[in-house]
Amino acid sequence: MLQRALGHTGLSVSRLGLGTAMWGTQVDEHEARDLLGTYVDAGGTLVDTAVMYGAGASEELLGRLMGEVGREQLVVASKGGFRAGPDGPVRDTSRRTLLQNLDTSLERLRTDHVDLWQVHVWSDAAPVEETMAALDQAVTSGRARYVGVCNYAGWQLAQAATWQRAIPGRVPLASTQEEYSLLNRDLEREVLPAARSTGLGVLPYSPLGGGVLTGKYRTGTPAHSRGAGRLSASVDRYLDDHGRAVVEGVARAADGLGWTPLQVALVWVRDRPGVTAPIVGARTATQLKDVLGVEGLTLPPEIVAALDDVSGD
């Protein structure tokens, strides 16, 4: 798999990342082992998790499996920014909580450092300078090699990135992780320009729109799909008239190219200007092999223009 630099850094990652949000809950250890092995065998390096995924089950499972493929082969990314509350996780980007999250992640992952550590969400629980100071401390202490943010609005991203570059000695941000697909192009308005101007790589998550762009919901909701379970809200929002038009456009492009809709939708995101690596969350090795099949594919410019048109506001 081809590698790309993560923003203006010396860190290279594969141009498709492996997401583990379902590991330990919807993906058991046997399936996770197959996923990780298949991904690494294909040349994949970037594996993304978070302290809150599966209440810690994702990191624990990844930590058990990393030794089997070789920790040195992986670019391990995790995230912090939550603490336990009486009604579930609470956003908290204070230095205390963030560094506690990091130590918890390292223990679960059975490693002394993560390659990319990210603030999972923006929060008003702490000023941006305190949040960024936690990232500085993570790097200077050797517990993280690079740092980034997730789910920041354009102005938030610009503020954080500019703050880190304002004074020598602060650790510059490497990346931002945001939702991005043919069904959700919101980040193009402000986030992508902010990332481009501050030298950050972009790691899109949900590049297939919760699976909607694969075409699986064109004639109904499959029994064991995300749309039929507790994550149905992430799918339902794309099953409107606009979403159906986009899916039909993707299907027509796939038919014309002899590709699958998955391949069309994923290659579109992967090759957008400013994107470093979409994060894909396959549940089985069979699904992942379909995803990895896009490696040698490139969309013709006229198809890209048609998809841009049908998916635009």
Side-chain angles (χ1 to χ4, degrees):
M1 192 182 301
L2 294 178
Q3 306 284 303
R4 289 173 173 168
L6 186 63
H8 291 175
T9 75
L11 179 64
S12 293
V13 300
S14 54
R15 60 179 184 166
L16 286 178
L18 179 63
T20 66
M22 296 180 289
W23 285 25
T25 51
Q26 299 177 63
V27 174
D28 64 24
E29 184 163 347
H30 174 74
E31 293 166 331
R33 179 177 286 106
D34 285 348
L35 284 166
L36 188 60
T38 298
Y39 179 66
V40 172
D41 287 346
T45 61
L46 176 62
V47 182
D48 181 77
T49 186
V51 73
M52 69 170 296
Y53 287 168
S58 170
E59 289 182 327
E60 289 173 352
L61 184 48
L62 179 57
R64 290 199 297 272
L65 297 177
M66 280 197 299
E68 298 180 11
V69 300
R71 168 68 177 90
E72 68 282 356
Q73 295 194 65
L74 301 178
V75 176
V76 179
S78 193
K79 316 177 195 72
F82 288 90
R83 59 176 170 80
D87 300 315
V90 176
R91 296 185 182 197
D92 185 349
T93 56
S94 66
R95 176 162 39 196
R96 178 175 184 270
T97 292
L98 282 169
L99 294 176
Q100 285 178 342
N101 285 172
L102 178 56
D103 288 339
T104 298
S105 293
L106 295 178
E107 182 178 356
R108 291 171 177 165
L109 291 166
R110 306 183 185 188
T111 186
D112 63 355
H113 73 280
V114 291
D115 299 287
L116 175 65
W117 189 50
Q118 304 153 99
V119 181
H120 205 152
V121 290
W122 175 274
S123 170
D124 293 327
V128 65
E129 54 266 31
E130 179 177 337
T131 300
M132 295 299 106
L135 299 186
D136 291 338
Q137 189 170 343
V139 173
T140 57
S141 67
R143 289 176 282 178
R145 298 292 187 260
Y146 296 87
V147 291
V149 296
C150 307
N151 303 304
Y152 274 33
W155 70 268
Q156 295 165 343
L157 183 63
Q159 182 185 37
T162 302
W163 177 269
Q164 289 303 95
R165 292 183 179 276
I167 296 178
R170 293 178 184 157
V171 178
L173 298 180
S175 63
T176 182
Q177 190 172 146
E178 311 279 344
E179 183 173 356
Y180 189 29
S181 74
L182 278 162
L183 289 169
N184 187 342
R185 297 175 59 182
D186 291 348
L187 88 170
E188 292 179 353
R189 296 186 180 92
E190 295 182 359
V191 173
L192 270 180
R196 185 165 49 247
S197 68
T198 53
L200 275 62
V202 178
L203 302 173
Y205 66 82
S206 199
L208 299 174
V212 173
L213 287 166
T214 66
K216 69 170 68 175
Y217 298 100
R218 291 174 77 189
T219 58
T221 301
H224 299 292
S225 67
R226 180 177 301 189
R230 63 181 181 83
L231 298 177
S232 60
S234 65
V235 170
D236 291 345
R237 59 184 169 140
Y238 294 136
L239 299 180
D240 57 8
D241 289 343
H242 176 261
R244 283 190 286 271
V246 173
V247 171
E248 291 306 312
V250 169
R252 287 195 299 271
D255 288 343
L257 294 167
W259 297 10
T260 66
L262 178 153
Q263 291 172 328
V264 170
L266 187 55
V267 171
W268 182 89
V269 176
R270 185 198 66 192
D271 294 341
R272 298 299 282 181
V275 167
T276 300
I279 307 296
V280 292
R283 298 189 191 186
T284 68
T286 299
Q287 291 178 347
L288 182 59
K289 288 175 183 176
D290 290 341
V291 167
L292 297 173
V294 308
E295 177 59 21
L297 302 180
T298 303
L299 284 170
E302 60 272 20
I303 298 295
V304 173
L307 292 172
D308 287 352
D309 183 59
V310 75
S311 64
D313 293 338

